[in-house]
Amino acid sequence: MDSKISIVSKLNGIGDSMVSMWCVEGFKQAGLDVDFFVRPDHVGMCSFFHDKVYPKDNAPISAITLNLNSTGGQMAGLPPDKATRMDWWWKWAADQFTGDIPENASPQKPQLIKPLEKVPQFENAVVIAPECCFLNRKWSIGHYSRLVLLLKQAGYEVISFVAQEDSQVKAIKDIVYHYGFSLEYLVRAIYSCKLLIGNDSGPAHIAGTVGTPCIPIHAIMPPNLLWERYSNFYPVFATDSCAGCGFTPDLGYHPHSCSAMCSALEGISAEEVYKVAVNALEQIN
């Protein structure tokens, strides 16, 4: 029986690598010897969970490339409204694999293979992660600013994690923000914080993988698709008729306008997110 499998995370997002890790863990727990290939600067981040992680340029021709886009469910034969992205990608990889896999095998939560040390200065913080490489997944900085004000008025410590010093987050009055993290340190930082609030982006997927409570704010992809396998998640999802369009024109997605801004996402108010945050923090405390 073929017990060796090589998997490549095709896309370069942090979330793509984190979601792929669930497939890696599933194959590992099914008894397979898994080599995982990712973007070079993601190797250290993924190595918290797996000991055979390599730069994707080194992947063998025989490696299975995970199908990392919204058509993956159709290609894998799973209804989009009945499975998570982990399930889509798992079935895609399992169907390509020539060896045997136990019938009950499935994506699994990645298990730490080396300890994550908490960063003490972040342990009592509510962290906002307002950045995202896709404009139509970014809740506006104005909404984040209002949310920070509400949380601070309620007595919570609020900070932000961003990529660089020159960030839009500077527009938020009196926000303390941290930047320039390596991805390995970002994993530790998110693991340390009390609650993460952000977009449908990499930090939310890190939170889901390491078990940090999280409020993802989103509108385009259905909640079950993104967050169903994560615990301690409190999604805030838009209620507009086009919410959950999945980038599908028949469901209300218009590339000429929606690619720059999602009106359904902008319709989510800071007050709505604040209420969810307070409820989450009460449960956490």
Side-chain angles (χ1 to χ4, degrees), residues 12-283:
N12 289 323
I14 293 172
D16 299 313
S17 293
M18 285 289 97
V19 172
S20 298
M21 282 300 314
W22 287 67
C23 296
V24 170
E25 185 68 31
F27 285 117
K28 188 164 64 171
Q29 291 191 25
L32 300 185
D33 180 10
V34 188
D35 286 343
F36 184 41
F37 297 87
V38 293
R39 177 173 148 174
D41 60 339
H42 290 191
V43 171
M45 172 181 71
C46 294
S47 294
F48 281 115
F49 310 97
H50 188 55
D51 59 354
K52 294 184 176 181
V53 186
Y54 311 102
K56 65 171 64 180
D57 290 345
N58 297 336
I61 295 175
S62 60
I64 296 171
T65 301
L66 287 182
N67 183 31
L68 305 179
N69 58 42
S70 60
T71 63
Q74 289 81 0
M75 294 184 72
L78 292 170
D81 61 341
K82 300 298 182 184
T84 68
R85 241 185 336 185
M86 289 88 157
D87 294 296
W88 285 8
W89 302 353
W90 165 270
K91 189 172 187 305
W92 170 259
D95 286 348
Q96 307 306 305
F97 182 55
T98 57
D100 294 328
I101 303 172
E103 288 187 8
N104 62 347
S106 64
Q108 297 294 322
K109 179 178 173 62
Q111 301 298 304
L112 288 168
I113 61 171
K114 55 185 179 181
L116 269 178
E117 295 182 8
K118 288 194 173 184
V119 183
Q121 72 184 102
F122 301 145
E123 289 192 66
N124 293 314
V126 175
V127 173
I128 65 164
E131 296 181 330
C132 182
C133 56
F134 295 98
L135 293 176
N136 53 13
R137 295 186 195 175
K138 288 177 70 172
W139 200 45
S140 77
I141 203 67
H143 286 334
Y144 276 113
S145 182
R146 173 66 177 161
L147 174 63
V148 169
L149 176 63
L150 292 170
L151 288 167
K152 283 191 168 186
Q153 287 178 340
Y156 295 106
E157 176 189 355
V158 187
I159 62 174
S160 182
F161 295 160
V162 295
Q164 300 177 345
E165 181 179 9
D166 186 18
S167 168
Q168 280 189 318
V169 78
K170 290 194 295 186
I172 300 177
K173 184 178 179 182
D174 298 329
I175 187 72
V176 174
Y177 65 100
H178 301 264
Y179 60 90
F181 293 172
S182 68
L183 292 181
E184 294 94 322
Y185 190 82
L186 180 63
V187 172
R188 287 182 56 208
I190 291 175
Y191 176 65
S192 304
C193 69
K194 180 175 291 188
L195 174 70
L196 182 89
I197 304 174
N199 308 302
D200 169 14
S201 60
H205 290 286
I206 291 175
T209 303
V210 301
T212 296
C214 180
I215 299 175
I217 307 164
H218 65 112
I220 294 177
M221 302 305 287
N224 67 291
L225 175 71
L226 296 173
W227 320 119
E228 187 72 21
R229 286 186 175 271
Y230 295 145
S231 58
N232 299 317
F233 261 54
Y234 308 85
V236 178
F237 184 60
T239 57
D240 295 48
S241 60
C242 62
C245 69
F247 303 102
T248 304
D250 289 348
L251 297 178
Y253 182 74
H254 304 287
H256 63 281
S257 57
C258 298
S259 60
M261 184 194 75
C262 174
S263 59
L265 182 61
E266 283 302 288
I268 298 173
S269 70
E271 285 75 12
E272 182 178 353
V273 178
Y274 171 73
K275 290 178 182 178
V276 175
V278 170
N279 177 64
L281 288 162
E282 288 176 349
Q283 295 185 45

